[in-house]
């Protein structure tokens, strides 16, 4: 079985490209920093930086919503490969192919960590005393229900 579950923060905005052909497919690449549980003696590194690649709808999701600093949880599988670079040296690669990805903290917590938050949506801090978010006037046309 090849199954990976990771939780960490994006180290930079995802790099998204689209495949060639009739049905262009989104391919998003990003790196997440995953904190290490234990620290080894004489080892200054406290996190591992893991390359991830998301295809299709998952790639489109990454392009639209993921930004540097956002904390996410992903599930996927490890995929290894190799290629020969311009200098004729063989380079080995290891990536996590993303099958699922989701946010693991609120937008307010993300904003405190310096990540991206769309300006066209009300913030969670705009909640009324009853715990529900206030819906701005004129947004009725955009709601998926009546």
């Amino acid at each position: 079985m090849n199954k990976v579950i990771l939780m960490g923060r994006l180290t930079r905005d995802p790099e998204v490209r689209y495949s060639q052909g009739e049905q262009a497919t989104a391919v998003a690449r990003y790196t997440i920093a995953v904190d290490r549980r234990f620290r080894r003696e004489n080892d200054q590194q406290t996190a591992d930086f893991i390359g991830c690649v998301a295809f299709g709808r998952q790639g489109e999701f990454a392009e639209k919503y993921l930004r540097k600093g956002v904390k996410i949880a992903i599930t996927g599988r490890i995929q290894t490969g190799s290629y020969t670079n311009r200098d004729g040296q063989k380079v080995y690669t290891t990536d996590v192919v993303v099958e699922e990805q989701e946010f693991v903290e609120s937008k307010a917590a993300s904003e405190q960590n310096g990540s991206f938050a769309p300006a066209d949506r009300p913030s969670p801090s705009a909640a009324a005393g009853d715990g529900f978010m206030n819906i701005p006037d004129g947004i009725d046309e955009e709601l998926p229900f009546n």
Side-chain angles (χ1 to χ4, degrees):
M1 180 189 308
N2 183 354
K3 181 106 174 164
V4 177
I5 302 171
L6 299 170
M7 182 169 40
R9 293 191 186 280
L10 271 74
T11 60
R12 65 180 191 281
D13 290 353
E15 179 183 307
V16 182
R17 295 184 178 167
Y18 285 84
S19 65
Q20 301 292 322
E22 282 184 32
Q23 294 192 357
T25 302
V27 180
R29 292 188 170 277
Y30 55 87
T31 302
I32 61 172
V34 178
D35 290 332
R36 290 184 176 174
R37 186 174 240 175
F38 303 105
R39 186 180 220 167
R40 292 185 191 168
E41 192 174 320
N42 299 326
D43 189 1
Q44 300 299 320
Q45 189 171 349
T46 60
D48 291 301
F49 299 89
I50 300 170
C52 303
V53 60
F55 296 97
R57 289 175 123 344
Q58 295 295 340
E60 292 169 8
F61 178 88
E63 179 179 35
K64 189 171 183 179
Y65 297 109
L66 300 184
R67 297 290 180 261
K68 178 181 176 178
V70 170
K71 190 171 189 178
I72 62 170
I74 64 168
T75 59
R77 59 186 167 81
I78 291 181
Q79 182 171 295
T80 60
S82 64
Y83 64 92
T84 304
N85 68 12
R86 292 180 183 153
D87 299 330
Q89 297 174 327
K90 193 159 192 171
V91 178
Y92 295 94
T93 61
T94 302
D95 290 308
V96 173
V97 177
V98 176
E99 294 169 356
E100 297 176 33
Q101 55 195 350
E102 58 188 74
F103 299 105
V104 294
E105 68 182 2
S106 68
K107 281 189 183 180
S110 281
E111 288 173 10
Q112 289 176 351
N113 291 312
S115 63
F116 174 81
D120 61 340
R121 294 197 179 136
S123 68
S125 62
D130 58 3
F132 290 97
M133 185 185 318
N134 293 324
I135 298 176
D137 294 332
I139 198 168
D140 296 335
E141 301 82 36
E142 296 180 30
L143 296 177
F145 50 84
N146 291 332

